[in-house]
Amino acid sequence: MTTNLRSRVRAGDRDAFGELFDDYADRVYQHLCRLLGNWSAAEDATSLTFLEAWRTRERLQPSDGSPLPWLLGIATNVARNSVRSRRRRAAAMSRLPEADREPDFAEDLAGRLDDAERLRAVRTALHALRRQEREVVALCVYAGLDYADAAEALGVPIGTVRSRLSRAKARLRAAVSPAPDEHRPVALAPRREP
């Protein structure tokens, strides 16, 4: 993205903002899918991210760098607000009386597939991470940002990004690694000739 386009976006040029959307909407959507774990929620959050980007476009610095960290920083905040809203809604819904439910056979079928089980384990491990660690994983691993860009998106020092990512990777490895006896071939001792 050229400095000229960044300046046009800052000035409120709708065509320039359209170019910004065309160039980065997919990356923002993918980032939000990973943070929220729901495609539909990520679509809504992507719309909110670009609405907020338009509203706060004057904060876009007129430098030569990519605006992706700026957009992903906005997206991360939108995701935080979305999760908070979902939690509040779930708490409110839990206070309502239970309605009779029909059994959902789709979950039973999905539970039989190995891939679905592994995905569930990874998702569980990701959600077990602290929020700050999940955000760093989403930015550095999934969105492909380097430490400096992730630090800019989160508004924290680079060292903080590195330490959060290191802790997150260690926790994920421990959470999704098979148990010592699981999925490992048994080592047989060589036979000795008498």
PDB file of all heavy atoms in Angstrom, residues 71-97:
ATOM      1  N   LEU A  71      -5.103  -2.833  11.247  1.00  0.00           N
ATOM      2  CA  LEU A  71      -6.396  -3.501  11.062  1.00  0.00           C
ATOM      3  C   LEU A  71      -6.555  -4.688  12.012  1.00  0.00           C
ATOM      4  O   LEU A  71      -7.632  -4.886  12.594  1.00  0.00           O
ATOM      5  CB  LEU A  71      -6.553  -3.972   9.614  1.00  0.00           C
ATOM      6  CG  LEU A  71      -6.793  -2.876   8.578  1.00  0.00           C
ATOM      7  CD1 LEU A  71      -6.681  -3.442   7.165  1.00  0.00           C
ATOM      8  CD2 LEU A  71      -8.145  -2.218   8.785  1.00  0.00           C
ATOM      9  N   LEU A  72      -5.496  -5.490  12.193  1.00  0.00           N
ATOM     10  CA  LEU A  72      -5.592  -6.653  13.071  1.00  0.00           C
ATOM     11  C   LEU A  72      -5.712  -6.231  14.535  1.00  0.00           C
ATOM     12  O   LEU A  72      -6.331  -6.935  15.340  1.00  0.00           O
ATOM     13  CB  LEU A  72      -4.409  -7.588  12.864  1.00  0.00           C
ATOM     14  CG  LEU A  72      -4.374  -8.290  11.496  1.00  0.00           C
ATOM     15  CD1 LEU A  72      -3.180  -9.231  11.410  1.00  0.00           C
ATOM     16  CD2 LEU A  72      -5.660  -9.020  11.192  1.00  0.00           C
ATOM     17  N   GLY A  73      -5.118  -5.100  14.879  1.00  0.00           N
ATOM     18  CA  GLY A  73      -5.303  -4.569  16.231  1.00  0.00           C
ATOM     19  C   GLY A  73      -6.757  -4.206  16.482  1.00  0.00           C
ATOM     20  O   GLY A  73      -7.334  -4.526  17.530  1.00  0.00           O
ATOM     21  N   ILE A  74      -7.380  -3.560  15.496  1.00  0.00           N
ATOM     22  CA  ILE A  74      -8.806  -3.231  15.603  1.00  0.00           C
ATOM     23  C   ILE A  74      -9.622  -4.517  15.679  1.00  0.00           C
ATOM     24  O   ILE A  74     -10.532  -4.653  16.503  1.00  0.00           O
ATOM     25  CB  ILE A  74      -9.252  -2.362  14.409  1.00  0.00           C
ATOM     26  CG1 ILE A  74      -8.575  -0.988  14.457  1.00  0.00           C
ATOM     27  CG2 ILE A  74     -10.772  -2.201  14.395  1.00  0.00           C
ATOM     28  CD1 ILE A  74      -8.787  -0.149  13.204  1.00  0.00           C
ATOM     29  N   ALA A  75      -9.289  -5.488  14.814  1.00  0.00           N
ATOM     30  CA  ALA A  75     -10.025  -6.760  14.789  1.00  0.00           C
ATOM     31  C   ALA A  75      -9.919  -7.486  16.123  1.00  0.00           C
ATOM     32  O   ALA A  75     -10.896  -8.071  16.608  1.00  0.00           O
ATOM     33  CB  ALA A  75      -9.501  -7.642  13.656  1.00  0.00           C
ATOM     34  N   THR A  76      -8.737  -7.460  16.734  1.00  0.00           N
ATOM     35  CA  THR A  76      -8.549  -8.118  18.027  1.00  0.00           C
ATOM     36  C   THR A  76      -9.445  -7.488  19.089  1.00  0.00           C
ATOM     37  O   THR A  76     -10.064  -8.190  19.892  1.00  0.00           O
ATOM     38  CB  THR A  76      -7.061  -8.052  18.439  1.00  0.00           C
ATOM     39  OG1 THR A  76      -6.289  -8.709  17.432  1.00  0.00           O
ATOM     40  CG2 THR A  76      -6.829  -8.713  19.777  1.00  0.00           C
ATOM     41  N   ASN A  77      -9.550  -6.166  19.073  1.00  0.00           N
ATOM     42  CA  ASN A  77     -10.436  -5.489  20.028  1.00  0.00           C
ATOM     43  C   ASN A  77     -11.902  -5.812  19.758  1.00  0.00           C
ATOM     44  O   ASN A  77     -12.681  -6.006  20.695  1.00  0.00           O
ATOM     45  CB  ASN A  77     -10.212  -3.975  19.990  1.00  0.00           C
ATOM     46  CG  ASN A  77      -8.906  -3.586  20.625  1.00  0.00           C
ATOM     47  OD1 ASN A  77      -8.416  -4.254  21.524  1.00  0.00           O
ATOM     48  ND2 ASN A  77      -8.310  -2.513  20.154  1.00  0.00           N
ATOM     49  N   VAL A  78     -12.271  -5.883  18.491  1.00  0.00           N
ATOM     50  CA  VAL A  78     -13.645  -6.254  18.141  1.00  0.00           C
ATOM     51  C   VAL A  78     -13.936  -7.668  18.639  1.00  0.00           C
ATOM     52  O   VAL A  78     -15.009  -7.942  19.181  1.00  0.00           O
ATOM     53  CB  VAL A  78     -13.879  -6.127  16.612  1.00  0.00           C
ATOM     54  CG1 VAL A  78     -15.176  -6.805  16.196  1.00  0.00           C
ATOM     55  CG2 VAL A  78     -13.879  -4.659  16.192  1.00  0.00           C
ATOM     56  N   ALA A  79     -12.969  -8.580  18.468  1.00  0.00           N
ATOM     57  CA  ALA A  79     -13.154  -9.963  18.937  1.00  0.00           C
ATOM     58  C   ALA A  79     -13.317 -10.000  20.450  1.00  0.00           C
ATOM     59  O   ALA A  79     -14.166 -10.739  20.970  1.00  0.00           O
ATOM     60  CB  ALA A  79     -11.974 -10.830  18.502  1.00  0.00           C
ATOM     61  N   ARG A  80     -12.517  -9.229  21.168  1.00  0.00           N
ATOM     62  CA  ARG A  80     -12.653  -9.175  22.632  1.00  0.00           C
ATOM     63  C   ARG A  80     -14.067  -8.758  23.028  1.00  0.00           C
ATOM     64  O   ARG A  80     -14.690  -9.360  23.901  1.00  0.00           O
ATOM     65  CB  ARG A  80     -11.672  -8.167  23.222  1.00  0.00           C
ATOM     66  CG  ARG A  80     -10.259  -8.612  23.282  1.00  0.00           C
ATOM     67  CD  ARG A  80      -9.399  -7.504  23.871  1.00  0.00           C
ATOM     68  NE  ARG A  80      -7.993  -7.787  23.666  1.00  0.00           N
ATOM     69  CZ  ARG A  80      -7.049  -6.872  23.637  1.00  0.00           C
ATOM     70  NH1 ARG A  80      -7.350  -5.597  23.794  1.00  0.00           N
ATOM     71  NH2 ARG A  80      -5.783  -7.207  23.456  1.00  0.00           N
ATOM     72  N   ASN A  81     -14.553  -7.704  22.366  1.00  0.00           N
ATOM     73  CA  ASN A  81     -15.902  -7.212  22.683  1.00  0.00           C
ATOM     74  C   ASN A  81     -16.961  -8.248  22.326  1.00  0.00           C
ATOM     75  O   ASN A  81     -17.948  -8.409  23.050  1.00  0.00           O
ATOM     76  CB  ASN A  81     -16.176  -5.896  21.950  1.00  0.00           C
ATOM     77  CG  ASN A  81     -15.311  -4.772  22.483  1.00  0.00           C
ATOM     78  OD1 ASN A  81     -14.823  -4.821  23.601  1.00  0.00           O
ATOM     79  ND2 ASN A  81     -15.102  -3.756  21.662  1.00  0.00           N
ATOM     80  N   SER A  82     -16.765  -8.943  21.233  1.00  0.00           N
ATOM     81  CA  SER A  82     -17.715  -9.974  20.807  1.00  0.00           C
ATOM     82  C   SER A  82     -17.773 -11.114  21.819  1.00  0.00           C
ATOM     83  O   SER A  82     -18.857 -11.580  22.176  1.00  0.00           O
ATOM     84  CB  SER A  82     -17.322 -10.499  19.433  1.00  0.00           C
ATOM     85  OG  SER A  82     -18.131 -11.567  19.061  1.00  0.00           O
ATOM     86  N   VAL A  83     -16.614 -11.570  22.272  1.00  0.00           N
ATOM     87  CA  VAL A  83     -16.562 -12.656  23.261  1.00  0.00           C
ATOM     88  C   VAL A  83     -17.232 -12.209  24.557  1.00  0.00           C
ATOM     89  O   VAL A  83     -18.001 -12.955  25.164  1.00  0.00           O
ATOM     90  CB  VAL A  83     -15.106 -13.106  23.507  1.00  0.00           C
ATOM     91  CG1 VAL A  83     -14.994 -14.004  24.706  1.00  0.00           C
ATOM     92  CG2 VAL A  83     -14.560 -13.783  22.258  1.00  0.00           C
ATOM     93  N   ARG A  84     -16.958 -10.986  24.960  1.00  0.00           N
ATOM     94  CA  ARG A  84     -17.575 -10.445  26.178  1.00  0.00           C
ATOM     95  C   ARG A  84     -19.104 -10.410  26.035  1.00  0.00           C
ATOM     96  O   ARG A  84     -19.833 -10.795  26.946  1.00  0.00           O
ATOM     97  CB  ARG A  84     -17.035  -9.030  26.425  1.00  0.00           C
ATOM     98  CG  ARG A  84     -17.122  -8.575  27.840  1.00  0.00           C
ATOM     99  CD  ARG A  84     -16.452  -7.224  28.078  1.00  0.00           C
ATOM    100  NE  ARG A  84     -15.061  -7.234  27.680  1.00  0.00           N
ATOM    101  CZ  ARG A  84     -14.501  -6.356  26.856  1.00  0.00           C
ATOM    102  NH1 ARG A  84     -15.202  -5.373  26.336  1.00  0.00           N
ATOM    103  NH2 ARG A  84     -13.226  -6.430  26.548  1.00  0.00           N
ATOM    104  N   SER A  85     -19.590  -9.989  24.870  1.00  0.00           N
ATOM    105  CA  SER A  85     -21.038  -9.940  24.633  1.00  0.00           C
ATOM    106  C   SER A  85     -21.648 -11.335  24.636  1.00  0.00           C
ATOM    107  O   SER A  85     -22.736 -11.542  25.186  1.00  0.00           O
ATOM    108  CB  SER A  85     -21.334  -9.274  23.289  1.00  0.00           C
ATOM    109  OG  SER A  85     -20.946  -7.930  23.311  1.00  0.00           O
ATOM    110  N   ARG A  86     -20.942 -12.291  24.010  1.00  0.00           N
ATOM    111  CA  ARG A  86     -21.446 -13.663  23.997  1.00  0.00           C
ATOM    112  C   ARG A  86     -21.550 -14.218  25.415  1.00  0.00           C
ATOM    113  O   ARG A  86     -22.499 -14.920  25.752  1.00  0.00           O
ATOM    114  CB  ARG A  86     -20.548 -14.574  23.157  1.00  0.00           C
ATOM    115  CG  ARG A  86     -20.937 -14.620  21.711  1.00  0.00           C
ATOM    116  CD  ARG A  86     -20.271 -15.757  21.019  1.00  0.00           C
ATOM    117  NE  ARG A  86     -18.826 -15.532  20.953  1.00  0.00           N
ATOM    118  CZ  ARG A  86     -17.987 -16.301  20.323  1.00  0.00           C
ATOM    119  NH1 ARG A  86     -18.392 -17.370  19.697  1.00  0.00           N
ATOM    120  NH2 ARG A  86     -16.700 -16.034  20.290  1.00  0.00           N
ATOM    121  N   ARG A  87     -20.536 -13.920  26.242  1.00  0.00           N
ATOM    122  CA  ARG A  87     -20.543 -14.396  27.619  1.00  0.00           C
ATOM    123  C   ARG A  87     -21.739 -13.818  28.383  1.00  0.00           C
ATOM    124  O   ARG A  87     -22.428 -14.527  29.114  1.00  0.00           O
ATOM    125  CB  ARG A  87     -19.239 -13.989  28.314  1.00  0.00           C
ATOM    126  CG  ARG A  87     -18.530 -15.160  28.924  1.00  0.00           C
ATOM    127  CD  ARG A  87     -17.287 -14.772  29.684  1.00  0.00           C
ATOM    128  NE  ARG A  87     -16.177 -14.701  28.756  1.00  0.00           N
ATOM    129  CZ  ARG A  87     -15.306 -13.721  28.677  1.00  0.00           C
ATOM    130  NH1 ARG A  87     -15.372 -12.706  29.501  1.00  0.00           N
ATOM    131  NH2 ARG A  87     -14.342 -13.727  27.796  1.00  0.00           N
ATOM    132  N   ARG A  88     -21.979 -12.518  28.193  1.00  0.00           N
ATOM    133  CA  ARG A  88     -23.114 -11.881  28.873  1.00  0.00           C
ATOM    134  C   ARG A  88     -24.434 -12.492  28.408  1.00  0.00           C
ATOM    135  O   ARG A  88     -25.331 -12.736  29.211  1.00  0.00           O
ATOM    136  CB  ARG A  88     -23.115 -10.380  28.598  1.00  0.00           C
ATOM    137  CG  ARG A  88     -22.063  -9.632  29.340  1.00  0.00           C
ATOM    138  CD  ARG A  88     -22.226  -8.138  29.127  1.00  0.00           C
ATOM    139  NE  ARG A  88     -21.039  -7.451  29.537  1.00  0.00           N
ATOM    140  CZ  ARG A  88     -20.388  -6.545  28.820  1.00  0.00           C
ATOM    141  NH1 ARG A  88     -20.840  -6.200  27.635  1.00  0.00           N
ATOM    142  NH2 ARG A  88     -19.309  -5.974  29.273  1.00  0.00           N
ATOM    143  N   ARG A  89     -24.534 -12.711  27.097  1.00  0.00           N
ATOM    144  CA  ARG A  89     -25.759 -13.296  26.547  1.00  0.00           C
ATOM    145  C   ARG A  89     -25.960 -14.713  27.092  1.00  0.00           C
ATOM    146  O   ARG A  89     -27.067 -15.091  27.475  1.00  0.00           O
ATOM    147  CB  ARG A  89     -25.711 -13.328  25.030  1.00  0.00           C
ATOM    148  CG  ARG A  89     -26.987 -13.839  24.408  1.00  0.00           C
ATOM    149  CD  ARG A  89     -26.922 -13.810  22.883  1.00  0.00           C
ATOM    150  NE  ARG A  89     -28.172 -14.188  22.294  1.00  0.00           N
ATOM    151  CZ  ARG A  89     -28.618 -15.428  22.155  1.00  0.00           C
ATOM    152  NH1 ARG A  89     -27.896 -16.443  22.597  1.00  0.00           N
ATOM    153  NH2 ARG A  89     -29.777 -15.680  21.585  1.00  0.00           N
ATOM    154  N   ALA A  90     -24.882 -15.498  27.125  1.00  0.00           N
ATOM    155  CA  ALA A  90     -24.981 -16.869  27.637  1.00  0.00           C
ATOM    156  C   ALA A  90     -25.408 -16.862  29.108  1.00  0.00           C
ATOM    157  O   ALA A  90     -26.216 -17.701  29.533  1.00  0.00           O
ATOM    158  CB  ALA A  90     -23.652 -17.601  27.469  1.00  0.00           C
ATOM    159  N   ALA A  91     -24.876 -15.925  29.882  1.00  0.00           N
ATOM    160  CA  ALA A  91     -25.261 -15.831  31.295  1.00  0.00           C
ATOM    161  C   ALA A  91     -26.742 -15.481  31.419  1.00  0.00           C
ATOM    162  O   ALA A  91     -27.457 -16.054  32.252  1.00  0.00           O
ATOM    163  CB  ALA A  91     -24.401 -14.799  32.011  1.00  0.00           C
ATOM    164  N   ALA A  92     -27.204 -14.575  30.579  1.00  0.00           N
ATOM    165  CA  ALA A  92     -28.617 -14.196  30.617  1.00  0.00           C
ATOM    166  C   ALA A  92     -29.494 -15.360  30.179  1.00  0.00           C
ATOM    167  O   ALA A  92     -30.539 -15.629  30.782  1.00  0.00           O
ATOM    168  CB  ALA A  92     -28.863 -12.982  29.719  1.00  0.00           C
ATOM    169  N   MET A  93     -29.074 -16.077  29.151  1.00  0.00           N
ATOM    170  CA  MET A  93     -29.851 -17.206  28.653  1.00  0.00           C
ATOM    171  C   MET A  93     -29.882 -18.352  29.664  1.00  0.00           C
ATOM    172  O   MET A  93     -30.854 -19.083  29.744  1.00  0.00           O
ATOM    173  CB  MET A  93     -29.296 -17.705  27.317  1.00  0.00           C
ATOM    174  CG  MET A  93     -29.410 -16.700  26.184  1.00  0.00           C
ATOM    175  SD  MET A  93     -31.089 -16.197  25.830  1.00  0.00           S
ATOM    176  CE  MET A  93     -31.694 -17.647  25.001  1.00  0.00           C
ATOM    177  N   SER A  94     -28.812 -18.502  30.434  1.00  0.00           N
ATOM    178  CA  SER A  94     -28.769 -19.590  31.418  1.00  0.00           C
ATOM    179  C   SER A  94     -29.780 -19.375  32.545  1.00  0.00           C
ATOM    180  O   SER A  94     -30.145 -20.321  33.231  1.00  0.00           O
ATOM    181  CB  SER A  94     -27.364 -19.745  31.984  1.00  0.00           C
ATOM    182  OG  SER A  94     -27.049 -18.659  32.830  1.00  0.00           O
ATOM    183  N   ARG A  95     -30.211 -18.151  32.717  1.00  0.00           N
ATOM    184  CA  ARG A  95     -31.199 -17.860  33.755  1.00  0.00           C
ATOM    185  C   ARG A  95     -32.632 -18.157  33.297  1.00  0.00           C
ATOM    186  O   ARG A  95     -33.543 -18.172  34.099  1.00  0.00           O
ATOM    187  CB  ARG A  95     -31.066 -16.402  34.196  1.00  0.00           C
ATOM    188  CG  ARG A  95     -29.759 -16.128  34.925  1.00  0.00           C
ATOM    189  CD  ARG A  95     -29.720 -14.734  35.518  1.00  0.00           C
ATOM    190  NE  ARG A  95     -29.692 -13.672  34.538  1.00  0.00           N
ATOM    191  CZ  ARG A  95     -28.586 -13.116  34.044  1.00  0.00           C
ATOM    192  NH1 ARG A  95     -27.411 -13.533  34.444  1.00  0.00           N
ATOM    193  NH2 ARG A  95     -28.656 -12.142  33.170  1.00  0.00           N
ATOM    194  N   LEU A  96     -32.805 -18.392  31.986  1.00  0.00           N
ATOM    195  CA  LEU A  96     -34.131 -18.726  31.463  1.00  0.00           C
ATOM    196  C   LEU A  96     -34.423 -20.201  31.705  1.00  0.00           C
ATOM    197  O   LEU A  96     -33.518 -21.025  31.731  1.00  0.00           O
ATOM    198  CB  LEU A  96     -34.200 -18.424  29.969  1.00  0.00           C
ATOM    199  CG  LEU A  96     -34.070 -16.958  29.565  1.00  0.00           C
ATOM    200  CD1 LEU A  96     -34.053 -16.847  28.050  1.00  0.00           C
ATOM    201  CD2 LEU A  96     -35.209 -16.138  30.144  1.00  0.00           C
ATOM    202  N   PRO A  97     -35.686 -20.567  31.822  1.00  0.00           N
ATOM    203  CA  PRO A  97     -36.018 -21.990  32.006  1.00  0.00           C
ATOM    204  C   PRO A  97     -35.654 -22.789  30.748  1.00  0.00           C
ATOM    205  O   PRO A  97     -35.773 -22.301  29.629  1.00  0.00           O
ATOM    206  CB  PRO A  97     -37.530 -21.995  32.257  1.00  0.00           C
ATOM    207  CG  PRO A  97     -38.025 -20.651  31.875  1.00  0.00           C
ATOM    208  CD  PRO A  97     -36.868 -19.722  31.843  1.00  0.00           C
TER     209      PRO A  97
END
